[in-house]
Amino acid sequence: MSSSTEEPLTTASVTADDGAGGEGGGDAGTEAGAETGREAIVRAARRAFTLRPYAEVTMRGIAADAGVSPSLIVKRFGSKEALFNTVADFRSAADELFAAAPAVLGRHLVLTMVGLRDRFRGDPLLRVVFSLGIEDERTLLRARFREQVTDRLAAGLNGPDAQLRAELIAGQLLGLGATLSLHRPDGAGSHAGPERLADLYAPGLQRLIDGP
């Protein structure tokens, strides 16, 4: 599949800022270099599995995008399947997103989403929406997202309709990420600071968190 001819505009938009930036080619023998190399590989893999079906993704292509050797990917992850499973795991993002008390969770969600996007140089959640994989791959991503993000959030909410509220909150987080991606680099959201984004976006989230 050629991304230049078949890649939807929205997919390109939400993944273009997830670049490797030449990372991973440094001193991988040091602790910092090793972590940088791993992050570059995961970013490149996230982009590859989002833009192409699983069968069309190659370890060599990911390595070239990450600026590392294919043998380093094999050493770090073992196989393409293991690397895909890493990309399909939302737990580390969820750990940070939900690390606040319910009373202040709305603002924390916005600030953390913005921080994760800056740190990952891409959105930590949007691949669940824009993946071009076959149905089995998309089904796995959706199942992981529901289990690791939506259901986990629902379990922490008090009051009625916890599952519905959690789904709506998850949808709003995806909407925030899509909006920031689609309107970069010169949209208003790109110029607003995290605190201002939280001022405007967090109250709606907090109402859903608090419930009726």
Side-chain angles (χ1 to χ4, degrees):
M1 177 182 295
S2 169
S3 61
S4 62
T5 58
E6 298 183 29
E7 173 189 326
L9 176 62
T10 50
T11 302
S13 298
V14 300
T15 56
D17 64 338
D18 195 19
E23 292 186 67
D27 181 9
T30 67
E31 182 178 351
E35 182 59 24
T36 298
R38 187 184 189 284
E39 290 174 356
I41 292 167
V42 171
R43 279 199 301 272
R46 185 182 295 124
R47 181 167 49 250
F49 288 122
T50 299
L51 295 177
R52 299 177 182 85
Y54 180 90
E56 296 184 11
V57 175
T58 67
M59 299 284 262
R60 287 186 179 277
I62 293 172
D65 195 9
V68 302
S69 68
S71 61
L72 181 60
I73 299 182
V74 173
K75 179 180 178 181
R76 295 272 172 82
F77 296 93
S79 66
K80 186 171 82 168
E81 180 180 6
L83 187 53
F84 176 78
N85 282 328
T86 299
V87 169
D89 195 319
F90 298 94
R91 285 175 296 186
S92 61
D95 285 344
E96 296 191 47
L97 285 168
F98 303 146
V104 294
L105 184 57
R107 190 173 192 88
H108 173 82
L109 287 172
V110 177
L111 295 176
T112 303
M113 271 291 291
V114 175
L116 288 172
R117 286 173 55 86
D118 288 344
R119 203 167 82 224
F120 293 161
R121 285 190 268 175
D123 194 276
L125 303 179
L126 277 179
R127 60 192 181 277
V128 73
V129 177
F130 291 101
S131 174
L132 293 182
I134 64 173
E135 185 59 29
D136 285 350
E137 296 155 26
R138 294 196 300 269
T139 297
L140 174 61
L141 279 171
R142 288 194 296 266
R144 292 273 182 88
F145 184 88
R146 174 178 284 275
E147 174 190 350
Q148 297 170 359
V149 178
T150 310
D151 291 352
R152 177 175 171 181
L153 175 58
L157 297 179
N158 297 317
D161 299 318
Q163 187 68 36
L164 175 59
R165 287 155 50 210
E167 291 175 7
L168 293 172
I169 292 166
Q172 290 199 24
L173 289 176
L174 291 169
L176 175 62
T179 297
L180 293 175
S181 292
L182 290 170
H183 294 285
R184 68 171 189 275
D186 55 357
S190 299
H191 302 295
E195 295 292 339
R196 182 55 179 159
L197 288 171
D199 288 343
L200 294 172
Y201 207 80
L205 290 171
Q206 192 61 51
R207 282 194 292 272
L208 288 168
I209 293 165
D210 294 339

